[in-house]
Amino acid sequence: MPRLDKVAQIPKPDKIFVFKSCVASNKYPGIEACSSDSLRILGIEPVDSDEQTCCGGFVTFANVAAPTASMPAVARNLSLAEEKGLDTCVVCNGCWTFLNEFGHFMNHNAEVKASVNMMLNMMGKEYKGTGSVYHIAEMYYRLKEELAENVKRPLKGIKVATHYGCHYLGGGKYTAIDDAQMPSYLEEIIEILGGEVVPYTANRECCGTGFTQVINGKDLSLEHTKTKLDSVKEADPDILVVQCPYCHSQLDRIQQQFNYRDEGDFQTPILHIAQLVGMGLGLDVAKLGFAAHVSGRARLENVLDRIGR
């Protein structure tokens, strides 16, 4: 169940800084297009910056460098929003975790914050720690009333399963708005859009894309993914919705690998929550970015036919 005290702390601003995800930008541009357009419909103007870089998560996930090596990148990125007097909205669980956790660490360790700012000052930047970081899915939940008022293409009769992702459920001890063991806010968003929530056994299991697993043990990674996809296939939803582009990539593209190797027949469409919301709000089909998806394309076309293009 959502932690209503945390939900109440999320503002409904006129503008918000939208942090771009490396994976979404390069693999699924529809995620970012839907995020910005849906926020506009819900009354929030998205703002971004060409100065933004990667959050730094890849470096740490891959054990290439110590976590402290990512802190200047985190601080610099957060300073871009601070300069505009804005909070930050992200579409990726990894970005959400790193910006939140490292920001929290710097805010509570004055010496570390001073050292980071010494480096940032050489670039004419300063990290103050005045802004907050929210996940796009959290923003949708905060804007439930606005969302309900703007549904133009109800997902009536569409069966949707959910996948929250480890980095949100396990990494959000300070700011996550829901219970890590029994989250439900994605399910509530689906119902607001008119969809039918479909439970499945491996709902809270990892998608298998843990970055160190992929590098150091791909077989282990694929084993987790197959467990997940087998469970989803048994439940047979029309869509599996995720809130992380990396989970999206793993669950979408690995289906094709399994099918090619005759290790199953997987045809489940994977959508990011921003794409699902964009679909419900009536965004143009081209904006949804489904052309970049690998698996379940025929089933996605069927969904669009059923709800009206």
Side-chain angles (χ1 to χ4, degrees):
M1 294 291 293
R3 298 191 285 179
L4 298 182
D5 58 328
K6 293 291 185 183
V7 176
Q9 292 173 13
I10 301 175
K12 295 183 179 181
D14 294 330
K15 297 180 180 180
I16 199 162
F17 185 83
V18 176
F19 190 83
K20 297 178 182 178
S21 155
C22 299
V23 178
S25 296
N26 288 286
K27 293 184 177 182
Y28 301 104
I31 293 175
E32 290 183 345
C34 289
S35 297
S36 294
D37 285 356
S38 61
L39 285 173
R40 289 191 184 95
I41 292 172
L42 299 176
I44 299 176
E45 182 64 26
V47 177
D48 59 24
S49 172
D50 291 337
E51 292 187 70
Q52 184 215 305
T53 62
C54 171
C55 72
F58 284 143
V59 175
T60 307
F61 288 151
N63 292 327
V64 174
T68 49
S70 296
M71 287 189 190
V74 169
R76 180 184 173 280
N77 281 320
L78 290 176
S79 75
L80 298 175
E82 290 180 348
E83 289 171 357
K84 301 175 186 297
L86 301 176
D87 289 325
T88 299
C89 176
V90 302
V91 300
C92 171
N93 286 358
C95 297
W96 180 85
T97 300
F98 267 82
L99 297 179
N100 263 314
E101 293 294 309
F102 280 10
H104 181 273
F105 185 84
M106 288 185 288
N107 291 345
H108 291 81
N109 289 271
E111 291 184 6
V112 173
K113 186 176 178 181
S115 296
V116 168
N117 272 323
M118 189 180 300
M119 288 181 268
L120 261 59
N121 289 341
M122 298 182 210
M123 298 178 272
K125 301 291 182 184
E126 180 184 6
Y127 170 69
K128 299 176 182 177
T130 55
S132 297
V133 179
Y134 304 108
H135 198 292
I136 185 73
E138 297 175 331
M139 296 300 300
Y140 292 146
Y141 190 78
R142 181 70 174 96
L143 298 165
K144 286 194 300 181
E145 294 180 4
E146 291 83 353
L147 188 58
E149 292 169 358
N150 285 280
V151 174
K152 299 292 191 298
R153 192 188 284 135
L155 307 183
K156 185 177 180 180
I158 306 302
K159 298 185 295 182
V160 186
T162 63
H163 171 76
Y164 283 82
C166 302
H167 287 144
Y168 185 84
L169 295 181
K173 52 185 176 289
Y174 304 115
T175 59
I177 68 167
D178 215 334
D179 180 354
Q181 302 304 316
M182 194 58 66
S184 63
Y185 72 84
L186 285 181
E187 284 79 359
E188 289 189 51
I189 292 171
I190 290 166
E191 290 173 347
I192 289 171
L193 296 172
E196 175 188 341
V197 176
V198 177
Y200 63 103
T201 305
N203 186 286
R204 303 297 179 254
E205 296 293 328
C206 173
C207 72
T209 195
F211 203 53
T212 49
Q213 288 181 348
V214 173
I215 291 176
N216 299 323
K218 189 172 183 180
D219 289 342
L220 179 60
S221 176
L222 294 180
E223 182 180 334
H224 277 279
T225 305
K226 192 168 189 306
T227 297
K228 186 86 179 181
L229 291 174
D230 281 337
S231 181
V232 171
K233 183 179 178 181
E234 184 178 355
D236 194 32
D238 294 303
I239 293 167
L240 175 64
V241 68
V242 303
Q243 59 175 31
C244 177
Y246 218 105
C247 296
H248 190 159
S249 178
Q250 183 81 355
L251 294 170
D252 178 35
R253 300 189 178 200
I254 297 300
Q255 288 189 63
Q256 186 184 55
Q257 289 190 31
F258 287 145
N259 294 345
Y260 180 75
R261 298 171 184 173
D262 293 324
E263 295 181 21
D265 180 19
F266 299 105
Q267 303 294 338
T268 303
I270 312 298
L271 268 65
H272 189 277
I273 184 61
Q275 293 175 300
L276 190 77
V277 168
M279 190 158 60
L281 294 180
L283 293 183
D284 186 90
V285 172
K287 273 288 180 73
L288 302 176
F290 293 159
H293 293 217
V294 173
S295 299
R297 295 282 292 276
R299 294 186 71 176
L300 266 179
E301 290 296 322
N302 178 262
V303 167
L304 289 169
D305 287 340
R306 287 159 60 190
I307 64 175
R309 293 172 180 272

